[in-house]
Amino acid sequence: MSKPQDSTPSHTRKLFLGALLVAVVALGLFGPLLGLKTEQNMDNQLVLLFRPWHAIIAILACVAAYLVIQAIKIAAAHREATAKPVAAQPSALGKYLAPGGLSFVFIYPLLVILLVGTSGIPKWVDNFGILILIYVMLGWGLNIVVGLAGLLDLGYVAFYAIGSYSYALLSLHFGWSFWLCLPVAGILAAFWGILLGFPVLRLRGDYLAIVTLAFGEIIYLVAKNWKDFTGGGAGISAPRITFFGIKFDGTPDGFAAWLSWVLSGITTTFGFDPVTIPPAPWYRTMFLYYVIVVLALMTAWVTLRLRRLPVGRAWEALREDEIACRSLGINTTNTKLTAFACGAFFGGLAGAFFGARQGFVDPEGFKFIESAIILAIVVLGGMGSLIGVALAAVAMQGGTEILRELDFLKHIFGDDFKPELYRMLIFGSAMVIIMLWKPRGFVSVRQPTAFLHEKKAIGVDNVKEGHG
Amino acid sequence: MTGAVNPGSVLTVEHLTVRFGGLTAVNDLSFDVRHGQITGLIGPNGAGKTTVFNCITGFYKPTTGLLTMTHQNGKSFYLDRMADFQVTAKARVARTFQNIRLFSGMTVLENLLVAQHNMLMQASGMSVAGVLGLPAYRHAEDGAKERAAEWLKRVNLYDRADDAAGELPYGAQRRLEIARAMCTDPVLLCLDEPAAGLNPRESAELNELLLSIRESDKTSILLIEHDMSVVMKICDHIVVLEYGQKISDGTPEQVKSDPRVIAAYLGVDDSEIESKPEIAELVSEAGAEIPQHKEGGRS
């Protein structure tokens, strides 16, 4: 793409001055921060070490980032100026993203076994796959409240906690199995969602956000301090997931033995030798993986269905204009409560699953930062878009995990460089850059729920974000 | 008043008073909206017209007074005791807003489907049947779409059904808002300045639309309007407010020649009004420009 008008002298000069300014600010920041280091010598004295290269690299990185952002902006302005205005249409990428991503999710564990072997399962399936999918599900659940109904909820992790504790406590006291506890945990979370919904019905925007934030903290503090009930900071153990009653262990009643028996039954019928499957811990991981895939897909399916129903349309209408909703005879109280309840229900399911995966529930997993991450996933993904939220969950959770693998940086910065210390810094900058590039999230079009002639995506300029 | 046989009131406002702190926005107002008629509510800015509207549609609670809605089947509702959404859902009063309130990020069609929420909600079995995809709900939704399409044809927006409502030009948004209100199947339609910002051609189209709503839908209309070309042409009955009080009530001819109305709008004497036929234009402009009241926000 040629852009002669962009390389005029005034543009170059502006870029140069901007880069200079960035360099000066970066020097002021990184000069003392990275360029100087204090160390104790043998006589217990503090000595000042100069590390000019650290600072210079940081400054150059800032300048480069500035230039890249400017280049993107100029290119975008150029494209806007030259390209004829077209309605936002789903690109070919968007068309194949959902089925492609879905197939990938299903074959992902098999790919892991093929590429790294079963030893890679705890890391790549458990830490990556399952964790990301939990956040995908939480993102989709919160998307109902924030993305569709436009109600800003900063305490979503509370429902996740309620789901987890419901599972742990119900199985502890009543011996209920995971599959019985799962729906009950969801329903209990939904019930608490309605309970939270009542006092906040009249609140909007910032005020709603503060109350939901407080609710999240209350649940966390109750879990931490009500020792008789929740076990306090020490937590309580939750039973591991079972394959419909069959445990994943090496005992004669375990999953491996059962699978051997089933497979042997098949092989001997056809005249082959019976097979023996050796017990291995990764069967459970694989099962957990597919359980969370199914749970997350159920969330997506229900959300897609609800969006096309009057209740879903009422949620979106509520986000667009609450007063107009009431003037059309829509009971906004019920509409808000159903949004809270639906969102909380899926949060509760994810929580029960989390308890079964960990085998242990303690309050530390339900701090405010979790709510913030889930909300960031929804906002980053593009509010209301399922694919966007899934992509954002992969970027957020996968990104932070991938950044643990930064050992190659040691070749650049020397062996005493600790890349894990810079993980959150890199991550934060990445988020800032993404929000500059896509202010309304990855997917910034809204798909209509009904059409007469043809389905046209709606540009984000018209879609409101909701006021709480 | 109209001289015709009294067709019965659809809305009766009795001794309506609204106070905001020390300010009396509406003072002891009584009037009737008759079935099958277009009733105009006019008055200078800040006269309390929108306040009356907000009371009728349940957005404000009156300080004192009684608002009774009577359906043709004899059922009656006390609007001042109902929540705002019930006024539309049960008493079947629909309204539009002075500053257009469409769902701008939803398509034109979706706007009209949201308006049929209560009917569809029932058909979807409070969403359960809908989530399961039962045919009963699909039929109901097809019906709702058909009704929406019918209204889109009537307001001349059929071709734009799948565009975002926020993309429509101003006049089209006004028409869509009326179509949306009509999709709630109202007995009384309340329009807050439907002609504001319309050009003369659009204004004439609006007149046609409102007359057709009165004739073929048997919906009574109550409208606030400053545009006298709309008010005088289509209203069967006009109520004039000033400083929250009714100063005149009658047919357009009666109201037009009422000295109190003329004084309220222009502060000139009768002879001047009668000698100049273009005075109607002046009246509308004066209504829009002379700040007469300290009540700032009109909504």
Side-chain angles (χ1 to χ4, degrees), chain B:
Chain B
M1 303 207 198
T2 53
V5 182
N6 189 342
S9 296
V10 64
L11 173 74
T12 316
V13 176
E14 289 164 280
H15 306 293
L16 176 71
T17 300
V18 184
R19 288 196 195 91
F20 299 114
L23 178 85
T24 305
V26 179
N27 192 8
D28 197 25
L29 173 71
S30 302
F31 69 93
D32 276 357
V33 177
R34 307 248 165 84
H35 181 76
Q37 286 197 348
I38 298 180
T39 305
L41 188 60
I42 65 170
N45 277 353
K49 306 181 295 292
T50 299
T51 306
V52 173
F53 252 50
N54 281 337
C55 288
I56 293 170
T57 51
F59 282 83
Y60 291 167
K61 291 282 161 265
T63 313
T64 57
L66 201 59
L67 301 159
T68 320
M69 181 81 191
T70 315
H71 289 179
Q72 281 304 91
N73 60 14
K75 264 192 193 168
S76 61
F77 302 87
Y78 296 113
L79 300 183
D80 49 303
R81 295 175 202 176
M82 296 168 82
D84 45 16
F85 71 91
Q86 282 178 329
V87 169
T88 308
K90 296 226 170 75
R92 291 166 63 197
V93 179
R95 74 169 292 178
T96 64
F97 295 88
Q98 197 174 342
N99 43 347
I100 304 172
R101 285 183 173 275
L102 288 171
F103 306 123
S104 58
M106 302 175 88
T107 64
V108 169
L109 175 70
E110 283 178 306
N111 268 274
L112 300 190
L113 291 180
V114 171
Q116 302 176 57
H117 176 85
N118 288 318
M119 184 273 286
L120 285 173
M121 198 71 182
Q122 231 165 17
S124 77
M126 301 323 266
S127 303
V128 177
V131 169
L132 299 175
L134 296 186
Y137 172 69
R138 253 177 290 142
H139 288 312
E141 196 182 61
D142 288 345
K145 270 192 195 174
E146 245 164 61
R147 186 184 169 81
E150 201 178 292
W151 269 104
L152 287 176
K153 280 177 192 153
R154 279 181 72 175
V155 297
N156 211 1
L157 285 172
Y158 186 67
D159 295 333
R160 305 213 58 179
D162 299 321
D163 290 330
E167 281 172 9
L168 296 181
Y170 190 81
Q173 294 197 5
R174 284 249 174 246
R175 296 203 300 278
L176 177 59
E177 209 189 13
I178 294 173
R180 187 179 68 176
M182 284 307 293
C183 276
T184 63
D185 197 15
V187 171
L188 174 66
L189 177 66
C190 298
L191 304 171
D192 199 344
E193 297 200 25
L198 300 189
N199 63 36
R201 193 176 53 81
E202 288 173 323
S203 229
E205 282 172 10
L206 176 75
N207 286 357
E208 292 301 308
L209 176 65
L210 296 186
L211 289 174
S212 88
I213 287 173
R214 184 186 65 180
E215 297 310 323
S216 45
D217 300 278
K218 307 290 174 215
T219 300
S220 318
I221 298 175
L222 173 64
L223 66 96
I224 293 179
E225 190 47 72
H226 283 302
D227 187 340
M228 291 301 151
S229 70
V230 173
V231 174
M232 293 301 166
K233 256 187 220 145
I234 65 169
C235 286
D236 303 301
H237 173 203
I238 293 175
V239 177
V240 190
L241 290 189
E242 192 193 17
Y243 295 116
Q245 271 168 322
K246 185 164 85 174
I247 55 170
S248 186
D249 186 344
T251 62
E253 286 68 35
Q254 288 168 335
V255 165
K256 230 188 285 185
S257 51
D258 188 328
R260 292 179 65 190
V261 177
I262 295 158
Y265 269 96
L266 293 177
V268 290
D269 52 69
D270 283 9
S271 57
E272 218 176 322
I273 288 271
E274 273 152 14
S275 61
K276 288 176 186 163
E278 71 274 19
I279 207 75
E281 313 284 310
L282 266 174
V283 166
S284 74
E285 277 171 34
E289 277 169 21
I290 301 173
Q292 298 211 352
H293 203 281
K294 48 194 169 181
E295 186 199 353
R298 288 180 294 166
S299 62

